[in-house]
Every structure is written in C-alpha cells, then in structure tokens.
Amino acid sequence: PEKGVVTTAGVVYEPLRGLDVTLDYWHIQIDDAITTLLPQTILAQCYQGGSKSFCDQIQRDPVTHGISHLLDTIQNVGGITTSGLDFSAAYQYRNNAGTFRHAVEGTYLFKYNVDTGTVDPNSMQEQIIHGRGFFDLGTNPNLKFNVFTTWAHPTGIGAGFNFRFINSF
C-alpha cells in the first residue's frame, strides 16, 4: 500500500475591500507509489541511462529487431515527491456598468520527482527521474497561470476573457 506525507501551508491576504491575494505551498511525498511510467521514460532510462530493468521492458520483433511494444504495466516505484506554490490575486469592484473581476491564478512547480526503485549499477545511486520542466513524466512545466477578467451587468448579461500561459517543458 502507498504511504505518504502531505504538507500544506497557505495564507490569504485582503489588504483592501475587493482585493485578495493567496499563496498556498504544498509538498506531497508518496512512498511505495504504484504507477505507470510513460513510454518515453522507459526508453530514455534504457538508452540514455543504461538501466537493465528498463531495457527489459522493451520488446523487439525477432526478425526485424524493431521495437514491437513496451511492457508499460502498473508497477511499484520507490516513490513520488512533488512540491509547488499555488498563487492568486484578484480584484473585484462594482460601478454603474456592472461588476468586474480581474484575476491571475497559477502554479509554480518546485519539483516532480519519481524514484524508480532501481539503483544505477555504475554509480550505485538511486535512479530519480526529474519531471519538472521535462516531458518524461507528463506535462510538468515549472510555471503555468491564467489571467482573466469577467463582467456581469445587473440585467444578467456578461462577458469575459481568459489568457492561459504554460511555460516550456
């Protein structure tokens, strides 16, 4: 069974009416995690990392020797550790034209690491895959946020727009 620790800390600050700012730090550590690894992780750990346990998951056609499939099953890994900071700032006000709300909400990812549960035979170090800013463990950019504005008129009509930013990975 998975065991883990979740640590969070947050603060909400409202310096003036209608303006609020929030910061939430989070740190999650799951030991003995059960997960699948992405195909690119298996291939990279075999061909770049030289890990026999990952190379054994690559099946080849006996005639052409091309890769026929990957054994990408749910498996026990040493653990998953991730941490980051969620943030937001919003300002809402009302005038004769209606109610307006302007906001930014986002996440800054400090780390997303998977301990594969294997040891590198050359260095005898645990093999940790760092997923922040790379595509090996999915889409984990270090920064992503939304900026949006909404407007609501007392008659019930409204409008808004949203801009989404996702940093490169």
Side-chain angles (χ1 to χ4, degrees):
E2 293 179 349
K3 302 173 287 208
V5 175
V6 176
T7 305
T8 61
V11 63
V12 176
Y13 180 59
E14 191 172 347
L16 56 106
R17 183 183 168 138
L19 176 64
D20 60 85
V21 179
T22 65
L23 287 174
D24 292 301
Y25 169 79
W26 45 271
H27 176 90
I28 301 168
Q29 181 175 339
I30 301 173
D31 299 323
D32 302 324
I34 300 170
T35 188
T36 60
L37 295 176
L38 296 171
Q40 58 267 33
T41 301
I42 295 169
L43 293 168
Q45 289 298 305
C46 173
Y47 293 114
Q48 294 172 344
S51 172
K52 182 177 178 349
S53 64
F54 286 99
C55 292
D56 289 344
Q57 295 179 49
I58 301 171
Q59 302 295 302
R60 295 185 172 276
D61 183 283
V63 176
T64 66
H65 302 289
I67 296 173
S68 59
H69 63 279
L70 299 177
L71 301 175
D72 187 18
T73 59
I74 295 175
Q75 57 188 305
N76 287 339
V77 295
I80 297 172
T81 304
T82 183
S83 63
L85 184 69
D86 292 338
F87 57 89
S88 73
Y91 182 61
Q92 181 171 315
Y93 59 93
R94 183 178 300 176
N95 61 26
N96 291 338
T99 302
F100 294 86
R101 184 170 192 268
H102 311 287
V104 59
E105 297 175 346
T107 298
Y108 186 84
L109 184 66
F110 294 127
K111 67 179 166 182
Y112 187 91
N113 297 340
V114 174
D115 177 351
T116 64
T118 61
V119 175
D120 183 337
N122 298 325
S123 68
M124 298 309 291
Q125 300 279 330
E126 289 182 355
Q127 292 187 329
I128 307 294
I129 301 170
H130 303 283
R132 176 186 174 259
F134 297 99
F135 196 67
D136 284 352
L137 297 174
T139 306
N140 297 303
N142 62 344
L143 177 65
K144 58 184 175 181
F145 62 86
N146 292 314
V147 177
F148 58 93
T149 292
T150 59
W151 164 70
H153 191 268
T155 62
I157 63 170
F161 76 89
N162 185 47
F163 168 78
R164 174 173 285 174
F165 174 81
I166 299 175
N167 204 15
S168 62
F169 51 90

